[in-house]
Amino acid sequence: MLGTGETGVVLKERGMDVPLETGETAYFNYFWLRDNCPSSFDQETRERAFDIFAESEAPCASSAAISGGVLKITWAGAGHVTRMPLSLLASYAKGEKRADVAKVSRTPWFADHYDHMARFSYSQLTESETEIRCWAKAMLTDGIALLTGLPDTDAALLDTASLIGHVRPSYFGQVFEVKTHIKPTNLAFTSKALPLHTDLPDEDLAPGIQFLHCRANTVEGGNSLFVDGLAVAEDFRLAHPEDFELLVATDVPYFCEHERFDMRSRQHVIELDEYGNVSGVTISQHHADMFDLPQQELDRFYPAFCRFGQMMRREKYLMQFRLNAGECIVFDNHRIVHGRAAYSASSGDRHLRGCYTDRGELRSTFRVLEGKKERTE
């Protein structure tokens, strides 16, 4: 059905041209308009209730008109009426991704970041949604934050993690204890130096946000090491563009094999978001499997891989500090690379209790709290 509706709407074979309040005219597909009719969504659950798969024929408008900033469409057949605000249509007119307050700009940081790192007290976080929102934003922009004043209890870690998500178990369980184990299944469970890495790349989806609650730290040595993988990767892109593209495109194998589990997965060393920006890195020498790429490809891959790993260890990027009892370092495991200096196990006690939550839940928490903030302003 072709024709011109009221107020300049032009009906076409598969969609319509709609004059917007901006003065521009935009085309909208009939399927999209019918599928996204406000009545298609359940008012309580906010989920789509309309089933476009159940329609026996493609939707087609019999008429359309604009009145009071609203596009009114009467559909052929059943005569269903759709009323859609022009302001909503304008936000989808150019096929751009839906606006998302959680898509904040990531801020790269370097070796001097410790004094500038966002800090939040446990007592304030448990009493104030504003503090939680600020913490979530710091995690999105910087990828790391330091929490202080956690009680010396098992529950403190889980209570803290629950403020921004649900604890996501790994093959080590709901939590893990970083201290010297008699029969360690991970380098972290020894007093040896722990090379810079991201956690558990051998899982299909590596953990998103990592929490490390320091219960005790009286040993000699054992300083925490942190690097912003985003900062390194962006500099690497400028210095070695061909190597950068290789690390983005090549998937490498990781594993963790013991009596109780045999985990294996493949990951890209440098991760990009949907806009082509660096979103993080995945790297772990102690969980890297034997690279099973064709040997000729390794002629290019290994030099690029090593250049990136060596850049990561430069003083320019390496933040070093001592994590103290009562503190909890929280960081994005897909962006922040961490490690530990060796320490003397006989010189005192060092005990960190850790767990993970998902990055998606962090973004969800920020969206909800940011929405509350906007509604009260």
Side-chain angles (χ1 to χ4, degrees):
M1 181 179 295
L2 304 179
T4 301
E6 299 177 43
T7 58
V9 179
V10 178
L11 304 182
K12 296 186 173 183
E13 182 180 1
R14 298 186 180 182
M16 65 178 69
D17 289 336
V18 181
L20 301 176
E21 294 174 318
T22 59
E24 300 174 300
T25 296
Y27 173 79
F28 294 92
N29 170 269
Y30 286 145
F31 275 102
W32 186 89
L33 289 167
R34 180 62 186 91
D35 199 28
N36 292 289
C37 175
S39 67
S40 295
F41 297 86
D42 185 279
Q43 296 302 302
E44 291 183 324
T45 68
R46 306 185 193 183
E47 296 172 331
R48 191 188 309 278
F50 173 67
D51 181 8
I52 201 164
F53 296 159
E55 298 295 293
S56 59
E57 296 182 358
C60 186
S62 59
S63 66
I66 295 173
S67 177
V70 175
L71 172 67
K72 177 183 175 181
I73 306 169
T74 300
W75 297 99
H80 178 80
V81 175
T82 289
R83 294 177 175 83
M84 191 168 288
L86 292 180
S87 57
L88 176 63
L89 291 173
S91 64
Y92 288 92
K94 297 180 180 179
E96 297 173 338
K97 291 181 174 62
R98 180 183 176 186
D100 184 357
V101 296
K103 293 291 184 182
V104 298
S105 298
R106 304 178 186 93
T107 305
W109 51 262
F110 301 89
D112 62 353
H113 186 62
Y114 182 72
D115 291 336
H116 310 285
M117 186 162 39
R119 289 169 167 78
F120 302 91
S121 76
Y122 174 83
S123 60
Q124 290 178 326
L125 286 173
T126 56
E127 296 173 359
S128 169
E129 285 190 340
T130 298
E131 285 294 292
I132 297 174
R133 177 176 54 80
C134 293
W135 171 31
K137 187 172 184 179
M139 292 298 300
L140 294 171
T141 56
D142 299 348
I144 192 168
L146 185 66
L147 312 186
T148 59
L150 268 70
D152 185 20
T153 64
D154 286 351
L157 173 68
L158 301 180
D159 290 344
T160 302
S162 69
L163 296 174
I164 59 170
H166 293 86
V167 173
R168 178 259 210 217
S170 71
Y171 53 88
F172 289 123
Q174 186 180 39
V175 300
F176 54 92
E177 311 292 344
V178 184
K179 55 185 178 181
T180 304
H181 291 217
I182 296 176
K183 299 181 71 173
T185 56
N186 189 288
L187 270 178
F189 304 154
T190 72
S191 61
K192 301 173 184 177
L194 188 59
L196 291 168
H197 66 284
T198 56
D199 266 22
L200 311 191
D202 44 83
E203 291 200 349
D204 288 343
L205 181 62
I209 305 300
Q210 182 167 353
F211 296 72
L212 289 173
H213 173 202
C214 182
R215 304 286 296 274
N217 192 4
T218 59
V219 297
E220 296 177 6
N223 271 1
S224 296
L225 313 174
F226 285 88
V227 168
D228 186 359
L230 180 148
V232 179
E234 289 292 8
D235 286 353
F236 190 72
R237 191 206 301 249
L238 294 175
H240 307 285
E242 292 184 358
D243 289 351
F244 176 89
E245 294 298 331
L246 189 62
L247 297 189
V248 167
T250 306
D251 64 337
V252 296
Y254 292 93
F255 83 117
C256 190
E257 182 181 353
H258 288 279
E259 289 80 6
R260 294 183 296 107
F261 48 79
D262 186 347
M263 302 295 295
R264 307 180 196 186
S265 188
R266 307 183 75 89
Q267 312 287 351
H268 292 179
V269 176
I270 298 177
E271 304 167 5
L272 303 181
D273 64 17
E274 64 267 38
Y275 302 102
N277 301 316
V278 173
S279 60
V281 300
T282 297
I283 195 164
S284 176
Q285 286 290 78
H286 57 291
H287 277 209
D289 204 345
M290 294 178 67
F291 292 167
D292 51 10
L293 304 173
Q295 293 297 313
Q296 289 79 6
E297 292 185 21
L298 293 174
D299 289 347
R300 285 191 59 219
F301 180 80
Y302 256 117
F305 182 66
C306 290
R307 269 190 286 270
F308 183 64
Q310 290 160 0
M311 177 180 279
M312 190 179 294
R313 297 180 178 183
R314 292 179 187 173
E315 290 186 7
K316 172 183 177 180
Y317 305 104
L318 189 61
M319 177 173 65
Q320 306 183 52
F321 61 92
R322 185 177 185 83
L323 195 62
N324 301 304
E327 295 178 336
C328 182
I329 192 74
V330 187
F331 54 97
D332 183 341
N333 183 54
H334 285 253
R335 169 179 169 180
I336 306 303
V337 187
H338 68 289
R340 181 196 64 219
Y343 65 90
S344 171
S346 61
S347 63
D349 186 21
R350 189 180 191 276
H351 178 196
L352 309 183
R353 183 175 170 85
C355 71
Y356 307 105
T357 60
D358 284 331
R359 290 196 296 178
E361 286 198 284
L362 169 68
R363 293 189 291 267
S364 171
T365 297
F366 180 71
R367 292 185 193 109
V368 170
L369 297 181
E370 187 71 6
K372 288 184 178 180
K373 170 177 171 283
E374 292 175 355
R375 288 192 292 273
T376 58
E377 289 181 347

